[in-house]
Amino acid sequence: MFEGPLQDLIDELSRLPGVGPKSAQRIAFHLLSVEPDDLNRLTSALEGVRDGVSFCRICCNVSRESVCRICADSGRDRGMICVVEEPKDIQVIERTGEYNGRYHVLGGALDPLANVGPKQLTISTLLQRIGGVLPDRELADSTPAAPLHDSQPEIYEVILATDPNTEGEATASYLARLLRDFPDLRVSRLASGMPLGGDLEFVDELTLSRALSGRLTI
C-alpha cells in the first residue's frame, strides 16, 4: 500500500473495467513520470467527458449536441431503427458500411441479478419513437410525457442488435414481445452464426444453434 494521493489514484484506476490492481499501479507510476503538459491534457480530457458529453434526445447515443450527427443526417433512412445495447456498438455496425438507418441505444441489457429491468433501459423511449406506448405496467411510469423528436417518421422496421449472450437474448425476446402488436412493423434480429475461417469443432452450442435456425437456401 502507498500513501496519500498516489494510493487514491491507484484505487480509482482499479475500479475501471479491465484494469486490475497491478495495471492500476503501473498506470499511476507512469503518470508520475510524464510531463506536466501531458498530465494537464489528460485532466482536461476527463473534465471534458464530465462536463461536455450529453446524450442524443432521440436515440440516446453519446452526443456533443442535443441531437447526434446520425439522427441529424437527412440522408439516412429514418424508417429503420437498429437497437443496440451501448453507444460503442454503433461504431461496430457503422464500420461495416451496410446499414444506413438510425439507431437506438438501450443503455444496457436486461439483467435481473444486477437489478437492471425495463425501467433502467430506454425501452419506453424506443416505443414512443415507433408510434406510441403499449399498455405495459412496467414501463408506464418511465415514459416521457412529450415526444423527444421534432417530427415522428413512420417506422417500418426495428432491428434487434443486442449481444448474442444470455442477457442480450433475453432483452431481444422482451422487445420482440412488446413490438409484435405494432401494425405493419417488421421486427428482425441481427443474425449470428459460424465465423468465417473458424472450425466447426470449436463453435459453441448457442452459436451453432443460431446458425442452424438461420440457415439460408443456396
Side-chain angles (χ1 to χ4, degrees):
M1 296 288 289
F2 299 93
E3 296 182 357
L6 177 60
Q7 185 59 47
D8 293 339
L9 177 60
I10 293 173
D11 292 340
E12 292 303 316
L13 289 172
S14 63
R15 295 172 59 187
L16 297 175
V19 179
K22 290 185 178 180
S23 296
Q25 183 174 312
R26 285 196 297 270
I27 296 172
F29 275 98
H30 170 74
L31 293 176
L32 284 178
S33 64
V34 301
E35 295 293 331
D37 288 345
D38 295 332
L39 201 57
N40 290 337
R41 283 197 297 271
L42 176 60
T43 302
S44 178
L46 291 173
E47 291 175 347
V49 170
R50 182 193 62 194
D51 302 329
V53 173
S54 58
F55 294 91
C56 176
R57 60 183 172 85
I58 297 176
C59 72
C60 305
N61 185 22
V62 173
S63 175
R64 180 177 295 180
E65 308 294 338
S66 62
V67 177
C68 71
R69 60 177 180 81
I70 293 178
C71 288
D73 187 350
S74 60
R76 301 187 75 103
D77 189 342
R78 302 176 66 197
M80 294 181 66
I81 296 178
C82 182
V83 181
V84 298
E85 294 182 17
E86 304 289 349
K88 60 184 176 58
D89 299 328
I90 293 179
Q91 303 305 318
V92 177
I93 297 176
E94 285 293 285
R95 285 199 296 267
T96 68
E98 297 292 329
Y99 180 70
N100 192 43
R102 289 183 170 185
Y103 294 91
H104 188 86
V105 180
L106 294 173
L110 295 175
D111 187 357
L113 296 179
N115 296 319
V116 179
K119 284 187 177 182
Q120 282 68 53
L121 306 179
T122 62
I123 294 176
S124 58
T125 307
L126 172 64
L127 297 179
Q128 188 188 61
R129 290 182 66 187
I130 296 171
V133 178
L134 293 176
D136 189 308
R137 193 178 307 173
E138 293 181 275
L139 299 173
D141 295 339
S142 59
T143 303
L148 301 178
H149 39 72
D150 299 322
S151 61
Q152 185 170 314
E154 182 178 351
I155 307 299
Y156 63 85
E157 182 175 4
V158 173
I159 304 171
L160 303 178
T162 53
D163 292 341
N165 54 27
T166 303
E167 293 79 12
E169 292 292 337
T171 305
S173 297
Y174 179 80
L175 290 175
R177 179 174 62 83
L178 288 180
L179 299 175
R180 66 187 177 191
D181 292 332
F182 283 97
D184 303 321
L185 177 66
R186 179 188 179 193
V187 181
S188 58
R189 178 79 167 104
L190 195 67
S192 63
M194 297 287 296
L196 292 176
D199 293 330
L200 187 63
E201 62 178 309
F202 300 118
V203 178
D204 63 274
E205 289 82 0
L206 178 59
T207 299
L208 187 57
S209 175
R210 291 285 298 272
L212 287 170
S213 62
R215 63 188 183 277
L216 301 174
T217 301
I218 60 175

